[in-house]
């Protein structure tokens, strides 16, 4: 069963929440972060992307970058930008983007659960990114960004959340510049905290990483390092729990994660299309774009034209939860045999475009000559994610894109 814990968190001072809150560290590069934090000394980007306080071109993995993150957080606390709750609390985090509404539980999730497989994964992590987050966590001594977890919706938990929201006012309530609305309720009542912790301990068999595999791995490994250094380790220390937000699966919104490829592996366009036709029903569309409406269907943009691709029924018949994913089917029938891409994680000829950028971004990348061909993909379902994670396997890289994104800096966990 899933073990969670209330946290004595740091939160922005009243009225500063919108200024502090930032997009996650891994959805924007250093240049974009510098622009976003311009004229905002309170932006949390100064902690999770602390290179923005240096000249352009600085080595973002240098020791001074991690030290600056620690110093900036300490200064924020000293200046009253961040204030720590007087007692350990749970938090309810509501995000509204258009007609999508999600209400998650912010808490500490057990690092032991991570290592024991109760917190389930569906992606590999990359050593370079893990090393970066480990250094950031160790140096700053905080869990700056939450891991986005999901769990199979539970009626008891649904009722507890609904009752609490109806009877209490939000402590934080603002609309970010991108139009996404964020609200947070602070749960201090010991009886409510105990009930929620008990629900997870007795009724929630597993939680699943939706977004934040590198954060989960890094925080858990730092916790293990702390455990090994503590001769009086009990298992209840704060370093045994990482900052997380848990959403029921029926509220999670997964959108498409598309692919672009730089060249046709030496093939002419006609030869490439002929090879595609061997496994796919191919139709040139007079008016695009082609956004797939079902599994085994794909859009393809090549030389200013959109094509509708449907995998022929005689191919891709495996019931394996990984092999049956559309991202796997593209790999098996297009990327490997036709385009010569053996590993999407390492081949620099392929790139990934989150669906939040829209089909126009695929067209733009092809039209400006940055890439040769683009593929649009039907989104992975939460059921497919669960099936892959439950099987102990992993998806191809960049298979899922979750929206709306959590804001960083609204709740911070200092684990020492």
């Amino acid at each position: 069963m899933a073990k969670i814990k209330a946290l004595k968190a740091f939160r922005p001072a009243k009225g500063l929440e919108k200024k502090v809150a930032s997009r996650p560290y891994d959805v924007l590069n250093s240049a974009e972060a510098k622009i976003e934090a311009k004229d905002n000394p309170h932006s949390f980007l100064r902690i999770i992307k602390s290179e923005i306080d240096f000249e352009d071109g600085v080595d973002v993995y240098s020791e001074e970058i991690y030290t600056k993150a620690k110093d900036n957080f300490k200064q924020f606390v000293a200046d009253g930008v961040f204030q720590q709750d007087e007692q350990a609390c749970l938090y309810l985090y509501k995000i509204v983007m258009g007609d999508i509404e999600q209400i998650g539980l912010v808490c500490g999730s057990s690092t032991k659960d991570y290592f024991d497989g109760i917190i389930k994964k569906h992606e590999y992590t990359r050593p370079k990114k893990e090393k970066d987050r480990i250094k950031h966590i160790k140096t700053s001594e905080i869990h700056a960004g939450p891991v986005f977890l999901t769990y199979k919706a539970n009626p008891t938990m649904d009722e507890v959340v609904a009752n609490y929201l109806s009877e209490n006012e939000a402590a934080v309530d603002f609309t970010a510049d991108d139009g996404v609305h964020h609200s947070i309720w602070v749960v201090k009542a010991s009886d409510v905290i105990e009930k929620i912790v008990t629900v997870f301990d007795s009724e929630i068999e597993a939680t699943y990483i939706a977004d934040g595999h590198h954060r989960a791995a890094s925080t858990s490994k730092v916790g293990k390092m702390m455990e090994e250094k503590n001769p009086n380790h009990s298992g209840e220390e704060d370093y045994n729990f990482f900052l997380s937000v848990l959403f029921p699966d029926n509220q999670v919104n997964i959108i498409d994660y598309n692919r672009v490829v730089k060249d046709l592996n030496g093939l002419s366009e006609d030869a490439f299309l002929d090879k595609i036709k061997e496994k796919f029903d191919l139709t040139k569309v007079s008016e695009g774009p082609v956004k797939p409406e079902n599994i085994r269907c794909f859009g393809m943009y090549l030389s200013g034209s959109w094509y509708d691709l449907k995998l022929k029924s005689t191919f891709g018949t495996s019931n394996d939860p990984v092999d049956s994913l559309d991202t796997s089917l593209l790999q098996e029938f297009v990327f490997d045999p036709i385009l010569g891409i053996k590993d999407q994680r390492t081949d620099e000829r392929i790139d990934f475009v989150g669906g939040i950028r829209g089909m126009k971004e695929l067209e733009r990348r092809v039209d400006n000559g940055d890439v040769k061909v683009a593929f649009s993909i039907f989104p992975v379902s939460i059921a497919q994610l669960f099936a892959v994670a439950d099987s102990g396997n992993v998806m191809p890289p960049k298979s899922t894109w979750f929206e709306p994104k959590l804001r960083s800096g609204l709740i911070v966990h200092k684990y020492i």
Side-chain angles (χ1 to χ4, degrees), residues 4 37 42 89 112 134 140 217 290 311 350 372-373:
I4 63 169
H42 300 320
C89 305
K112 185 176 186 300
I134 287 173
S140 67
V290 176
L311 186 62
I350 192 168
K372 183 63 177 178
V373 62

Side-chain angles (χ1 to χ4, degrees), residues 277-340:
K277 291 175 186 176
E278 292 175 6
K279 303 291 187 344
F280 294 83
D281 293 322
L282 178 69
T283 305
K284 188 173 183 178
V285 178
S286 58
E287 292 186 10
V290 176
K291 191 174 177 67
E293 296 183 354
N294 211 331
I295 59 172
R296 298 173 59 88
C297 299
F298 308 88
M300 184 175 75
Y301 187 65
L302 175 70
S303 294
S305 296
W306 278 97
Y307 296 83
D308 180 75
L309 279 64
K310 290 183 174 62
L311 186 62
K312 294 178 180 179
S313 59
T314 52
F315 300 104
T317 57
S318 171
N319 291 321
D320 181 88
V322 177
D323 293 344
S324 59
L325 294 172
D326 282 355
T327 47
S328 297
L329 297 176
L330 268 186
Q331 177 64 32
E332 181 179 357
F333 297 110
V334 179
F335 294 150
D336 185 356
I338 301 176
L339 296 175

Side-chain angles (χ1 to χ4, degrees), residues 12-28:
K14 191 68 176 177
L16 291 180
E17 297 94 346
K18 183 175 179 178
K19 285 185 173 294
V20 171
S22 74
R23 291 192 286 167
Y25 82 98
D26 54 353
V27 302
L28 67 175

Side-chain angles (χ1 to χ4, degrees), residues 30 65 85 94 125 149 227 256 271 322 345 372 386 395:
S30 299
I65 299 299
D85 287 323
K94 180 179 178 180
T125 56
L149 300 175
E227 174 186 342
D256 45 311
V322 177
R345 296 174 66 224
K372 183 63 177 178
F386 283 168
M395 294 182 181

